């Protein structure tokens, strides 16, 4: 139940990668046979990724994953005096990069979401200034699963002549990616969130976008990312992308959505629970199929995470450990939850291989654990400080 943290390799991904560790171990830059075999594998993978993203193969840059893609977009495009627009609910790969850019003379506006977790495009428009050099926004939020209106932002960016980066790490494999439709100049994805390997990812860089390389050295990836290519990783990423494209068409996503909806409905029956980021003005907010974020009154989310771990259920809480202190999620706080409710929130994120039995089991153990913890809770007893 923690697929947004990471996912296992699909068996076919492992099989596709296997020859590139030993038999075909060549360096894709070498001109001899071993090198050429590796080079051909990287080229094939690039074509698959171009298909996955709907771009040209030359616009695909392989890298180490989402953090690198996010950092490359920001450090590669923004210069002192530029203004940067992003949102308050981004991943730390964006937020921490923006913090560092502040020391380098780049001012950032962090646009807050609506209580539903949705970013209002008009709020992005209002945040823009003549010196805005880049807008960066996530496609799907990692904590709530809420899908953001990237196409509208893409149009706005085009009208204003501003570069637009999308962190699509949590959308890849869950919704169709189409960089032309999104209207972005840059887009980042990560292998390990879509049943590919860890430490490998890809970035779409629209032709002509003057993004400076984060890593310099050899002339790999058309000088956009130096470093010997991770050939097995790249092959695995492309195989995972193929599987993802298949899953978008074979009913897998609908099946996962139905499981998530059943899970959510079952958990709501516990009482004193609710969904974070579910509704906006009486309308359902679009979300990726596999995610629900819920609050459980009178609970510390962390206590429930531990109790469920003991029952073999892995979930994430609405708080994160920063410098030794447990802080409520910045995403839930930005949505306007109070600290207690944010701390009482949990993210359930299903693998695409999840089954009815998995959901049955979770629906058996969560109500038990919640009941038990509430009975012990100082919050419930009214003694909380
Ligand atoms: C939205 C989002 N962006 C970026 C990242 C970072 O990706 P990676 O783990 O590949 O560095 C994550 C990972 O949790 C994420 O959820």
């Amino acid at each position: 139940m923690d697929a947004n943290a990471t996912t296992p390799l699909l068996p076919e991904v492992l099989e596709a990668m296997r020859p590139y560790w030993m038999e075909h171990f060549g360096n894709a830059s070498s001109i001899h046979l071993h090198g050429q075999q590796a080079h051909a594998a990287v080229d094939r993978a690039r074509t698959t990724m171009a298909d996955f993203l709907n771009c040209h193969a030359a616009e695909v840059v392989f890298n180490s994953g989402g953090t690198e893609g996010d950092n490359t977009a920001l450090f590669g495009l923004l210069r002192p005096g530029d203004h940067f627009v992003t949102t308050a609910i981004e991943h730390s790969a964006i937020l921490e990069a923006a913090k560092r850019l502040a020391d380098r003379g780049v001012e950032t506006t962090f646009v807050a979401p609506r209580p539903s977790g949705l970013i209002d495009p008009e709020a992005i428009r209002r945040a823009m200034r003549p010196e805005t050099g880049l807008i960066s926004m996530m496609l799907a939020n990692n904590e709530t699963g809420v899908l953001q209106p990237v196409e509208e932002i893409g149009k706005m960016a085009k009208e204003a002549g501003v570069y637009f980066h999308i962190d699509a790490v949590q959308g890849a494999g869950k919704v169709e990616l189409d960089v032309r439709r999104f209207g972005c100049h840059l887009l980042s994805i990560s292998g390990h969130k879509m049943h590919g390997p860890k430490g490998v990812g890809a970035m779409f860089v629209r032709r002509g976008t003057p993004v400076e390389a984060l890593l310099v050295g050899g002339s790999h990836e058309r000088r956009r990312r130096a470093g010997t290519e991770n050939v097995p990783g790249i092959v695995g990423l492309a195989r995972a992308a193929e599987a993802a494209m298949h899953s978008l068409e074979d009913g897998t996503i609908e099946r996962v959505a139905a499981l998530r909806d059943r899970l959510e409905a079952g958990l709501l029956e516990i009482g004193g629970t609710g969904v974070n980021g579910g509704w906006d003005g009486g309308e359902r907010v679009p979300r990726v199929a596999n995610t629900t974020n819920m609050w459980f009154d009178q609970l510390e989310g962390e206590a429930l995470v531990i109790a469920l771990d003991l029952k073999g259920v892995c979930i994430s809480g609405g708080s994160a450990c920063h410098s030794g202190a447990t802080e409520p999620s910045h995403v839930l706080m930005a949505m306007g939850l109070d600290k207690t409710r944010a701390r009482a929130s949990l993210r359930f994120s299903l693998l695409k291989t999840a089954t009815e039995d998995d959901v049955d089991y979770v629906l058996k153990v969560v109500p038990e654990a919640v009941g038990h913890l509430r009975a012990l809770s100082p919050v419930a007893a009214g003694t909380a400080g």
Side-chain angles (χ1 to χ4, degrees):
M1 294 287 139
D2 203 17
N4 289 4
T6 196
T7 58
L9 292 192
L10 293 171
E12 62 264 38
V13 172
L14 180 60
E15 281 315 308
M17 292 171 74
R18 203 185 288 278
Y20 294 94
W21 296 109
M22 293 178 74
E23 297 104 280
H24 306 314
F25 67 92
N27 183 324
S29 300
S30 302
I31 57 172
H32 51 60
L33 179 67
H34 278 301
Q36 290 313 298
Q37 281 171 338
H39 192 88
V42 171
D43 272 355
R44 281 194 299 276
R46 201 182 300 284
T47 305
T48 304
M49 295 314 292
D51 197 19
F52 185 55
L53 300 167
N54 189 27
C55 66
H56 300 292
E59 294 173 315
V60 175
V61 179
F62 290 114
N63 64 16
S64 68
T67 300
E68 186 181 329
D70 287 353
N71 275 234
T72 302
L74 273 57
F75 294 121
L77 274 176
L78 290 162
R79 297 288 162 262
D82 283 348
H83 172 242
F84 171 47
V85 175
T86 190
T87 83
I89 57 169
E90 298 301 307
H91 189 267
S92 49
I94 294 288
L95 299 178
E96 291 297 314
K99 237 192 240 176
R100 183 171 288 188
L101 281 166
D103 302 335
R104 301 181 185 176
V106 174
E107 199 188 325
T108 301
T109 302
F110 299 95
V111 173
R114 295 161 67 89
S116 60
L118 206 57
I119 300 288
D120 182 354
E122 281 312 310
I124 298 281
R125 193 193 296 280
R126 282 195 299 274
M128 277 160 57
R129 302 179 191 166
E131 63 276 20
T132 302
L134 177 69
I135 303 170
S136 182
M137 189 190 212
M138 56 195 356
L139 174 59
N141 183 265
N142 42 313
E143 295 189 31
T144 61
V146 170
L147 283 160
Q148 301 298 340
V150 290
E151 277 184 67
E152 280 179 74
I153 310 298
K155 286 193 191 111
M156 231 177 246
K158 186 175 179 186
E159 277 166 26
V162 172
Y163 291 113
F164 179 34
H165 167 251
I166 299 177
D167 174 342
V169 168
Q170 293 289 348
K174 299 171 190 164
V175 293
E176 194 193 348
L177 301 183
D178 183 340
V179 295
R180 303 284 172 228
R181 183 161 52 80
F182 294 165
C184 58
H185 301 82
L186 301 162
L187 179 141
S188 306
I189 61 169
S190 175
H192 75 103
K193 307 283 186 181
M194 46 182 272
H195 297 275
K198 293 175 176 56
V200 63
M203 191 176 200
F204 158 71
V205 179
R206 195 197 289 183
R207 207 174 270 167
T209 309
V211 60
E212 195 174 272
L214 203 59
L215 300 179
V216 293
S219 57
H220 313 89
E221 299 297 300
R222 298 175 179 237
R223 296 204 171 276
R224 290 168 301 184
R225 201 274 187 179
T228 300
E229 291 87 350
N230 170 3
V231 181
I234 288 168
V235 168
L237 174 69
R239 189 65 193 85
E242 271 174 6
M245 286 188 273
H246 201 241
S247 295
L248 291 173
E249 287 173 358
D250 70 359
T252 300
I253 300 299
E254 291 74 11
R255 194 184 65 81
V256 171
L259 285 176
R260 186 271 314 270
D261 291 347
R262 186 159 78 79
L263 174 70
E264 194 172 272
L267 294 176
L268 285 170
E269 276 177 26
I270 296 174
T273 66
V275 178
N276 296 316
W279 299 86
D280 197 314
E283 282 190 28
R284 251 270 171 248
V285 164
R287 288 183 296 171
V288 287
N290 78 322
T291 309
T292 182
N293 193 305
M294 299 185 63
W295 50 268
F296 295 81
D297 261 355
Q298 303 169 6
L299 274 192
E300 272 290 338
E302 218 166 297
L304 192 53
V305 170
I306 294 165
L308 292 176
D309 188 30
L310 295 173
K311 299 279 180 192
V313 176
C314 305
I315 50 168
S316 275
S319 47
C321 191
H322 291 296
S323 329
T326 306
E327 290 295 327
S329 144
H330 70 282
V331 174
L332 299 180
M333 295 297 287
M335 285 162 60
L337 273 74
D338 64 35
K339 279 189 176 179
T340 307
R341 184 155 280 183
R343 284 210 177 93
S345 294
L346 295 169
R347 173 185 76 187
F348 297 80
S349 54
L350 281 70
L351 289 166
K352 68 179 180 183
T353 50
T355 63
E356 296 283 350
D357 285 352
D358 292 337
V359 171
D360 287 342
Y361 183 67
V362 175
L363 286 177
K364 176 177 155 331
V365 297
V366 175
E368 285 168 8
V370 169
H372 184 65
L373 289 169
R374 279 183 178 162
L376 299 173
S377 165
V379 186
T383 53

